[in-house]
Amino acid sequence: MSIHMTTPFRIEPAANLLKAFARRPGRTLVGTLLVISGFFLLFPGLDLVVSGEFVTRGAGFVLTDDGTLRIVRNLGTWITVAILAGSLAALTVPLVARRLPSFLKPHQALYLISVYLLGPGLLVNGIFKNVFGRSRPRDIFAFGGDAIFTPVWTIHGGCSGNCSFVSGEGAAAAAMLALIFVIPRRDRLPVGLGLTAVAAMVSLNRIAFGGHFLSDVLLAWVITLAVMVALRPVFFGASAERIDGAFLTAARRLWRRDGTAEAETGPAGAEMAGAAPLQRARTMPRAEKDWNMDIHAGDFAQAEAAGLAGPAGGFDDGAERRFSRLSVVVPARNEAENLRILVREIGEALQARTFEVVVVDDGSTDDTAAVLDELKADGLPVRHVRHERSAGQSRALRSGLFAASGDVVITIDGDGQNDPAFILALVEALEKAGPAAGLVAGQRVGRTDTRLKRMSSRFANTLRTAILKDATRDTGCGLKAMPATLFRQLPFFDGWHRYLPALVLREGYDVLHLDVKDRERRYGRSNYGILDRGLRGVLDLCGVWWLMRRGRRSPGRVDERSLETRK
């Protein structure tokens, strides 16, 4: 068992890969194109194997009707429209409103437009789809269609129009990454990782829909990235100044022709005359964390009522604290047999403390109610909070949180994979750390999940940690302990329980980690899918990143001053 505080997350391997790509991007992309093409020419059946994973016998590509996947596809379209509309606005605003735009410079706007026009537009939809007539997966014999399957780079493969090779939506998704070159340098890594995750989801969506093969998507990305690299020297560096200068000169002449005095005397005119540099978009400074924030209940009696202080009176002088009542919140859906064992284990683990077990029945259709009645009859302090219909794990946790009567809340999954023997260690670690600590999060070791689930979890945790800097390797562990008042003041959204470390850090509290044992599920199966969590998780990650960026600086010590003190 080990407890450790959060530490800055290091991503040196990823940084080294980016540096290697930055040194020779052209050669790297050409080499990647050759490797991918050669691989799929040697093993063309791999495309059929991957697409076949999304086919239901007799029904075809059923995920086409999935509402979540349709939202993801629409998201890609909305982002593309927003980028192009913003770029066009940056070029037209000076001509219509007679003022310079603050969000994009002319060379940046022209770069974004050119990437989309040349990559997804001309090369992909104008040339490749017409020359290499590859039929889409949903149209070939193997998946219920009437067309033949052809490998990559097969000319006139049998499709007459709007063909599969290469993916147009995949190319448009990859073109989103061009935004990396026009945002402030300090934001490029987190924004780049977030955009990459969104673009990857949009691209993989096309495979799930039967619209493209895996090779179509991969090669679309390489081609689009090559266009981005090739166009960059055309619009940046010394070229940027020439483009912006020419654009401003043309705008100035237009304004003079219209007799606009502002062209000579206004802020824009001053910039064109060389009196000031181009206006830059203002960026909010990063929120500065003040880990010595100190709120005293004796000096500021209203702190807790206002939600500014924790249950122990807020950030005190680092002394240990003692929670009077523990509330263990257990979200569960159709986990009757697991609950029968789990609740008894919780009772055994917390015999020395005053506690309650709040089981939130998320619309279960099994014998959960009968099992909980049985446990209550045996003298266990268990409460049954029921949802009329299933609303998901986040809502279940929130319902239990507001029903809890303790001054500290411990969460644990209802499937029995979290070991209740670690609950007391979580609470004691939180007490020992004092009011400055806001969360003790369990970190699973020896995980018993499937290999696919472990890999997807590792990827999601790495991406989240790189963007949010929460230094938590495993936010999916259900074992967490947090003061009830702090828990209730965190912003809520569906999926919020996976971002608790980042949200707690945002409030100015410390986060501790405790290694816990992972166990195999005894009964039933998981109610949460990998694909569903992944697609929603990308959108949640962007939202939490925004919340972290918008966090205000800690006010430090907060106390109420009486009128007598002022005299």
Side-chain angles (χ1 to χ4, degrees), residues 561-567:
R561 309 299 298 274
S562 64
L563 293 176
E564 290 77 10
T565 305
R566 294 183 181 180
K567 294 179 180 179

Side-chain angles (χ1 to χ4, degrees), residues 247-507:
F247 182 85
L248 293 174
T249 299
R252 182 182 181 184
R253 290 173 179 171
L254 179 63
W255 294 347
R256 280 180 173 176
R257 187 178 306 167
D258 292 340
T260 305
E262 184 183 2
E264 295 293 345
T265 60
E271 290 186 9
M272 286 185 291
L278 286 172
Q279 182 180 354
R280 294 179 179 273
R282 294 182 177 231
T283 56
M284 291 291 295
R286 292 184 181 273
E288 298 180 23
K289 297 296 183 182
D290 184 354
W291 303 116
N292 295 318
M293 181 180 178
D294 193 2
I295 302 177
H296 290 273
D299 296 332
F300 193 27
Q302 303 299 321
E304 184 169 346
L308 296 173
F315 293 97
D316 210 333
D317 55 4
E320 293 187 18
R321 56 185 166 183
R322 176 79 175 180
F323 297 111
S324 61
R325 182 178 179 84
L326 282 56
S327 292
V328 182
V329 175
V330 187
R333 181 170 182 264
N334 294 331
E335 301 283 6
E337 295 304 318
N338 288 318
L339 289 173
R340 191 191 305 274
I341 300 172
L342 179 64
V343 174
R344 295 186 188 279
E345 289 180 329
I346 294 173
E348 294 175 2
L350 299 180
Q351 290 181 8
R353 301 293 294 261
T354 301
F355 73 97
E356 65 175 354
V357 181
V358 182
V359 176
V360 183
D361 176 2
D362 188 30
S364 296
T365 57
D366 62 359
D367 296 329
T368 293
V371 168
L372 296 180
D373 288 341
E374 172 190 322
L375 293 169
K376 190 172 184 179
D378 290 342
L380 288 166
V382 61
R383 298 168 56 193
H384 183 190
V385 176
R386 174 170 172 76
H387 286 173
E388 181 182 2
R389 55 180 177 271
S390 177
Q393 189 175 4
S394 289
R395 281 286 179 182
L397 283 170
R398 191 166 189 255
S399 296
L401 171 62
F402 281 95
S405 61
D407 51 354
V408 63
V409 173
I410 304 95
T411 64
I412 185 171
D413 290 343
D415 56 12
Q417 289 189 262
N418 299 147
D419 192 342
F422 291 92
I423 292 178
L424 197 54
L426 290 172
V427 174
E428 290 176 348
L430 191 59
E431 291 175 328
K432 186 176 182 180
L439 168 68
V440 178
Q443 307 282 273
R444 291 169 291 185
V445 295
R447 292 188 61 178
T448 60
D449 294 318
T450 64
R451 182 178 179 83
L452 177 60
K453 194 170 183 178
R454 292 198 306 270
M455 290 177 62
S456 64
S457 178
R458 187 176 304 158
F459 170 77
N461 282 314
T462 300
L463 178 64
R464 188 208 66 258
T465 305
I467 293 176
L468 301 183
K469 304 295 189 296
D470 61 3
T472 302
R473 75 166 190 269
D474 178 19
T475 60
C477 179
L479 276 168
K480 295 181 177 72
M482 191 184 307
T485 304
L486 170 61
F487 212 155
R488 293 184 182 115
Q489 78 182 34
L490 298 180
F492 174 79
F493 54 90
D494 192 26
W496 128 107
H497 62 282
R498 301 187 186 97
Y499 298 93
L500 291 178
L503 295 175
V504 169
L505 289 172
R506 178 178 181 269
E507 296 298 322

Side-chain angles (χ1 to χ4, degrees), residues 71-87 116 172-173 175-177 179 194-195 197-199 202 538-539 542:
I71 291 175
V72 172
R73 184 182 186 184
N74 292 335
L75 176 64
T77 302
W78 296 335
I79 293 177
T80 296
V81 171
I83 291 174
L84 292 176
S87 300
Y116 275 95
M176 298 177 192
L177 302 182
L179 283 173
L195 283 173
V198 173
V202 172
V538 170
L539 302 180
C542 296

